[in-house]
Amino acid sequence: MISLVLLVVVVVLTTTLYTVGRYFHDSKKLRRFPSPSFAAFSPLWLMYHSWRARQYKAVQAAHEKYGPVVRISPNHVSFTAPGAYKDIYGFGNSIIKDDMYFHMSGGNPSMATATDKHMHAEKRRSLAHVFSAKEITAMEPRVQEMVAKLLRDIHIKSAGGKVSDLDPYETYPDGTFDIRPWLNMLTYDAISAMFFSNTYGMLDKGVDLCPSRSASGATKWVHGMDSFHSGGAFNTLFSHLPLAWNNVGRRIFRFAHGASALSNFAGMSRHQVHTRLRAQPAEPDLFSRLPTAPTEKRAVPMSFDELVAECATMLDAGNDTTQTALTNCIYHLAAHPIVQTKLRNILLEEVPPTSQPIASYQELKHIAYLRAVLDESFRCRPPVARGLPRRTTAAGAVIAGHCIPAGVTISAPIWNVHHNAELFPEPDSFVPERWMPNDNSNSNSVPPTSTSSSTNYAYRAPDPSDNYTYYTTPQEAHNLKTHVLPFHLGPRACIGRNLAYMELSIVIAALLLGFEWELAGGRGGGEGHTPALETVERFNCNVKELFVKVKGREGMVF
Ligand code: HEM
């Protein structure tokens, strides 16, 4: 017992001495940057806010207090100057993904978690054709099939029913229910249909149960949403630590719920890969494009473990971000009835009646206002809100005019750029009209009438009584193009961007053509005001819940 106490005392003392010594030695000259609380001494500040599921908010508050460059961990500097984004994430520099990604990969990196530039380039080359325009078009019917199930389920829920005996979700007597899990079940079913021709069938069951296969081959049923969310939170939390501490932390907490959820999530991918390798789908799916056998271009196919890692990334990146984007968009539309009606009327005009409510992307992609609604929703509430960590290499880097030596973690939070009042007037307002061109074909042609004090160019506030008339200056139009980057930019930008726009466009159009949406009073909503949406930030910034009241539109059959 005494030796255990002694050991703890020695560890605590050594760690404290090392921490303080490192701060004052300051070999990377990071003491020049201000930092909140004890963040300059220990990663525990960032971990604490990560554990509280509000990292981006804590970093935002730190920037508000200390300025555009803040040290948020002993070896991590965060930047908010708009130019920093391109300096860190753009093409043509030597900056790599931070070690945090390797920790998250559990030693089996995928395209998204590979930190080595060559390994990443090789993986990205092997997977690029999975996301070609031709493949995405071929996947449309699978998405449409799932959207039909979603509409059916929403119809049942809004009438107070249950989708099946397994459906655990409640509809309140006033007809309100939480739409978030249904959008999440849709994205799970859609991604599994597109990748594996083997949907999880969550929308049919009305619950997120799906099979998970352990490394030893045992299969069990798990809750997909919780497996990803609790597992992701656990994974992100420990990945902030240096490798040795990350391993120790995971070992100590190996019996925690998050640890088993993380392993269940990996098992969900393992199950799909195991099953798909033994199946022969009637039509090629996205898995068919993975290098599972030697080809002329690639002599060595992907190993089973590599396939599991890549498919887990698709189940994660291709599902959770999309469900968050959908929930955010429905929130904005429900909170802005004029925008909702305007978009619905445009859809009614543009989409052939025979394709209503579930149109094809071909029928939707030219509708500028639909894209404007999606993009403004991304600007207001990006599904990935935090600064994605990158690492300087031997050459060091100059970020927003600051010289940063080798081996430093750097990031630029997406949320701050999207809400920068110097770039976007009234940055916290949801105004899809910003994205529309100022020509005579829409109401944006009205010239500016006032000058905002917070910007150096003319700005006319959107006017609800005048169909949200808005004048987008050339400067704002340029800023929207260059500084709204929910899919990021540079060599590590999202490879699934076009797939996401296809899915989002079909779903949002169908939800508006099929139903009228209202925020629920009392449960996350309220009469005549826009309630704040509660978020839970694991790595992605998810919506906690979104209670809505939904009315089926006349003539729509589900
Ligand atoms: C609304 C939907 C989506 C959003 C907002 C989004 C956002 C992002 C962001 C911000 C990154 C950079 C992550 C980082 O550096 O840590 C990323 C990367 C990635 N995304 Fe997406 N994504 C979406 C949909 C998808 C879909 C549908 C897929 C695939 C099915 C996908 C697959 C990936 C992959 C594989 C990467 C890693 C790329 C690389 O490192 O080369 N994403 N995404």
Side-chain angles (χ1 to χ4, degrees), residues 36-55:
S37 183
F38 57 97
F41 289 94
S42 164
L44 291 178
W45 182 84
L46 203 54
M47 285 184 75
Y48 170 71
H49 292 293
S50 181
W51 174 65
R52 298 288 310 274
R54 56 172 197 200
Q55 181 181 313

Side-chain angles (χ1 to χ4, degrees), residues 339-352:
V339 177
Q340 185 185 150
T341 307
K342 179 173 169 182
L343 178 56
R344 184 178 297 110
N345 288 342
I346 292 174
L347 290 168
L348 285 168
E349 223 168 82
E350 298 279 336
V351 176

Side-chain angles (χ1 to χ4, degrees), residues 214-231:
S214 72
S216 63
T219 301
K220 63 178 177 182
W221 288 87
V222 301
H223 285 282
M225 291 192 277
D226 178 60
S227 298
F228 180 67
H229 286 151
S230 299

Side-chain angles (χ1 to χ4, degrees), residues 335-397:
H336 296 84
I338 295 177
V339 177
Q340 185 185 150
T341 307
K342 179 173 169 182
L343 178 56
R344 184 178 297 110
N345 288 342
I346 292 174
L347 290 168
L348 285 168
E349 223 168 82
E350 298 279 336
V351 176
T354 47
S355 301
Q356 294 181 21
I358 307 176
S360 71
Y361 191 40
Q362 299 308 312
E363 291 163 327
L364 297 170
K365 66 179 173 196
H366 68 280
I367 303 178
Y369 196 64
L370 173 60
R371 182 62 178 253
V373 165
L374 294 176
D375 284 337
E376 180 67 351
S377 187
F378 274 135
R379 190 193 63 78
C380 290
R381 306 186 70 90
V384 185
R386 63 177 53 196
L388 297 171
R390 301 293 189 255
R391 175 75 60 122
T392 51
T393 51

